[in-house]
């Protein structure tokens, strides 16, 4: 099925689903589901854990009915984990690539809905400036920061603004992984000209998670040329990543240099006041009913990891109140957070290097002696490098201090371990997940 067909199916399915449920259910639960692909007669969606399990249990029949309305009798729906990689498909002749479709924009993600705080003020101002005057303000604009802090929201805001107020200018939003997939499909389908036209013929190109371009030599080369063509033509480029360009060691120097040539700004975790404002705005926007301000204050205080977790906590508390018929009070919020987010009942302190070593040993199945030894065999070497990387990320300890804690190694060994771990995370999804699971268990982002 072509990209255009997929977009049409998703649009119709989403419309049918919205008509089939009430406004509260739509806004609190089902609107958060996204489209992944059409697999035969199955519409594959993706959604966070809390939405996925609830939607499958309570709305399975409704989802199927909507799929059958769009695709015909026998159609089904599957809801996948967003973190789950799509299954590999067997090699087959690839259809000609007409023009890779721009990923669907979320009309709710606008500048009006973005909550500004000290943690994101520069990034917001820069994003608004490039939306108002593409190619003239900051080019490229590079926004970096941990997941879940609003980088994607800003990209969608820019694209929506250009579409609404750009006087006919075109904006394309994509992710680095989608760019790679389209590039590979274009090569296999023998239609690189259509691919180049789709990405090089726009006024604004917005690319999410550019760290995933690393160690994909041909894709990096194509993106480098796309970047140059657009930049020389005066088109605006906006890029996001989970790290600074200078920390993207696995990326080619010439790309890093271009990423740093414009404005680089970061987004950081929101403070309590900003988190509270985000919750208030979400309550008003979704019209979820009466919510005790003390409940919002409690959620804002407890959930400080990122905005996705914050909004997810609000949804769970409101849904629990709705399903049990109880008012959404601070007491209810405390009960729900304690049951569903037990790790939030007590905020974690900064971990020690020894705690990081112990967690790494457990995660990779090695002993502490092996971790601290001179052995270069796996998995001890991998566990050691990851643990050094986490010690640098989470503790604020100097490189020599970290080296001494790992069997009196010198600072260059620690630096090498950090670079190798960064490279693995950029090129290996399993390594990326392993490190981020450890980060979460240690109280990091």
């Amino acid at each position: 099925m072509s990209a255009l067909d997929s977009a049409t199916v998703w649009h119709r399915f989403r419309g049918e689903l919205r008509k089939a449920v009430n406004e509260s259910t739509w806004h609190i639960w089902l609107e958060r589901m996204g489209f992944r692909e059409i697999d035969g007669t199955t519409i594959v969606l993706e959604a966070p854990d809390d939405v996925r399990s609830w939607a499958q249990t309570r709305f399975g029949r409704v989802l199927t009915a909507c799929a059958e309305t769009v695709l015909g009798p026998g159609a089904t729906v599957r809801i996948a984990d967003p973190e789950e990689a799509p299954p590999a498909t067997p090699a087959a002749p690839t259809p000609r690539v007409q023009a890779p479709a721009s990923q669907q924009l979320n009309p709710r993600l606008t500048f009006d809905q973005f909550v500004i705080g000290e943690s994101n003020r520069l990034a917001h101002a820069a994003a608004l400036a490039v939306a108002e005057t593409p190619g003239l303000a900051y080019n490229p604009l590079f926004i970096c920061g941990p997941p879940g802090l609003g980088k994607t929201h800003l990209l969608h805001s820019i694209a929506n603004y250009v579409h609404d107020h750009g006087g006919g200018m075109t904006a394309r939003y994509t992710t680095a992984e989608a760019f790679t997939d389209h590039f590979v499909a274009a090569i296999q389908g023998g239609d690189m000209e259509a691919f180049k036209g789709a990405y090089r013929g726009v006024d604004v190109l917005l690319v999410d998670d550019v760290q995933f371009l690393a160690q994909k030599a041909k894709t990096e080369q194509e993106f480098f040329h796309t970047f140059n063509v657009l930049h020389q033509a005066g088109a605006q480029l906006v890029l996001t990543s989970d790290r600074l360009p200078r920390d993207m060691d696995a990326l080619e120097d010439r790309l890093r240099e271009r990423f740093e040539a414009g404005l680089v700004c970061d987004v950081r975790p929101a403070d309590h006041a900003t988190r509270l404002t985000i919750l208030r705005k979400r309550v008003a926007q979704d019209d979820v009913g009466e919510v005790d301000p003390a409940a919002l204050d409690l959620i804002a205080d407890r959930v400080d990891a990122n905005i996705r977790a914050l909004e997810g906590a609000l949804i769970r508390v409101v849904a629990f109140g709705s399903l049990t018929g109880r008012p959404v009070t601070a007491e209810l919020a405390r009960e729900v957070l304690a049951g569903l987010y037990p790790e939030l009942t007590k905020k974690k302190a900064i971990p020690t290097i020894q705690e990081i070593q112990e967690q790494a040993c457990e995660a990779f199945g090695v002993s502490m002696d092996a971790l601290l030894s001179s052995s270069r065999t796996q998995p001890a070497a991998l566990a050691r490098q990851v643990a050094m990387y986490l010690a640098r990320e989470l503790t604020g300890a100097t490189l020599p201090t970290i080296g001494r804690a790992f069997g009196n190694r010198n600072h260059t060994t620690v630096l090498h371990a950090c670079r190798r771990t960064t490279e693995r995370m950029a090129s290996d999804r399993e390594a990326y997940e392993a490190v981020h699971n450890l980060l979460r268990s240690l109280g990091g982002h």
Side-chain angles (χ1 to χ4, degrees):
M1 180 170 288
S2 72
L4 179 61
D5 289 335
S6 296
T8 301
V9 167
W10 171 232
H11 177 75
R12 291 177 181 171
F13 174 82
R14 190 175 166 91
E16 290 293 329
L17 184 58
R18 183 157 191 175
K19 289 189 293 184
V21 299
N22 61 44
E23 283 295 301
S24 177
T25 298
W26 171 257
H27 286 305
I28 294 175
W29 295 102
L30 302 181
E31 190 178 25
R32 298 173 67 206
M33 295 192 300
F35 175 78
R36 173 175 287 189
E37 62 180 341
I38 305 292
D39 184 8
T41 58
T42 298
I43 298 175
V44 184
L45 309 176
E46 54 185 30
D49 290 343
D50 56 326
V51 174
R52 188 169 66 253
S53 58
W54 198 85
Q56 287 172 332
T57 302
R58 292 183 173 268
F59 286 94
R61 291 182 181 178
V62 174
L63 293 168
T64 299
C66 292
E68 290 185 333
T69 299
V70 176
L71 293 179
T76 58
V77 173
R78 182 170 70 85
I79 309 177
D81 185 339
E83 303 297 326
E84 166 194 328
T89 54
T94 304
R96 283 177 67 82
V97 178
Q98 298 290 326
S102 176
Q103 294 206 339
Q104 186 176 21
L105 292 175
N106 186 336
R108 285 161 56 94
L109 299 181
T110 64
F111 286 115
D112 288 341
Q113 294 303 323
F114 190 85
V115 177
I116 305 168
E118 290 306 315
S119 59
N120 58 28
R121 192 177 301 280
L122 175 60
H124 171 270
L128 183 58
V130 302
E132 292 175 336
T133 56
L136 299 177
Y138 312 106
N139 201 17
L141 172 61
F142 191 100
I143 305 172
C144 59
L149 297 183
K151 300 188 300 296
T152 299
H153 188 144
L154 288 173
L155 292 190
H156 281 256
S157 297
I158 294 169
N160 282 319
Y161 188 96
V162 171
H163 285 156
D164 293 342
H165 307 290
M169 298 181 78
T170 56
R172 174 178 292 275
Y173 165 81
T174 189
T175 65
E177 289 184 301
F179 180 89
T180 301
D181 292 342
H182 292 158
F183 176 59
V184 171
I187 292 176
Q188 293 174 345
D191 202 354
M192 278 300 296
E193 290 309 309
F195 174 85
K196 290 178 181 178
Y199 285 98
R200 301 183 185 185
V202 297
D203 299 296
V204 181
L205 179 63
L206 309 111
V207 186
D208 223 344
D209 292 325
V210 292
Q211 71 270 13
F212 289 118
L213 290 173
Q215 295 190 330
K216 298 180 177 72
K218 290 185 177 179
T219 306
E220 280 192 58
Q221 182 178 13
E222 177 59 29
F223 188 77
F224 173 78
H225 293 308
T226 298
F227 185 106
N228 283 347
V229 169
L230 288 169
H231 197 268
Q232 289 167 8
Q236 177 70 50
L237 292 113
V238 186
L239 315 163
T240 74
S241 173
D242 64 357
R243 67 204 73 167
L244 290 163
R246 66 169 180 264
D247 293 332
M248 300 172 71
D249 298 327
L251 206 64
E252 289 186 8
D253 289 343
R254 60 180 184 173
L255 264 182
R256 280 208 310 272
E257 290 167 2
R258 277 157 179 76
F259 291 169
E260 292 179 316
L263 175 64
V264 177
C265 54
D266 68 337
V267 288
R268 301 181 302 279
D271 57 24
H272 181 274
T274 304
R275 296 196 298 273
L276 188 57
T277 303
I278 290 169
L279 292 174
R280 288 170 178 162
K281 199 157 196 170
R282 186 67 190 262
V283 167
Q285 181 184 16
D286 291 350
D287 192 22
V288 298
E290 193 70 28
V291 178
D292 186 348
L296 298 181
D297 192 67
L298 180 73
I299 297 171
D301 182 62
R302 293 283 181 86
V303 187
D304 58 4
N306 59 56
I307 307 307
R308 291 193 196 118
L310 183 72
E311 293 182 335
L314 172 65
I315 287 169
R316 288 195 176 194
V317 171
V318 171
F320 190 82
S322 175
L323 294 171
T324 59
R326 294 169 58 185
V328 182
T329 62
E331 181 182 355
L332 178 72
R334 188 176 294 106
E335 178 183 331
V336 173
L337 293 181
L340 298 176
Y341 296 91
E343 71 278 10
L344 298 177
T345 56
K346 183 180 180 181
K347 293 182 180 178
K348 296 183 179 179
I350 295 173
T352 64
I353 294 178
Q354 183 176 345
E355 287 170 341
I356 292 171
Q357 292 170 332
E358 290 169 352
Q359 291 264 10
C361 287
E362 183 178 347
F364 290 96
V366 301
S367 68
M368 184 66 76
D369 287 342
L371 186 81
L372 302 181
S373 72
S374 59
S375 171
R376 295 185 179 182
T377 60
Q378 302 295 353
L382 175 59
R384 187 183 308 120
Q385 289 181 339
V386 169
M388 288 180 177
Y389 169 84
L390 293 174
R392 187 187 185 194
E393 288 287 307
L394 298 178
T395 66
T398 63
L399 295 178
T401 299
I402 295 171
R404 285 194 294 272
F406 282 83
N408 288 320
R409 287 174 164 82
N410 61 39
H411 75 281
T412 57
T413 301
V414 179
L415 191 58
H416 173 73
C418 294
R419 286 175 177 166
R420 285 290 296 125
T421 302
T422 300
E423 290 170 1
R424 284 196 184 95
M425 290 170 66
S427 61
D428 184 341
R429 190 74 186 182
E430 277 191 30
Y432 178 87
E433 292 296 335
V435 173
H436 276 261
N437 285 338
L438 275 168
L439 270 170
R440 283 191 289 271
S441 69
L442 289 162
H445 52 262

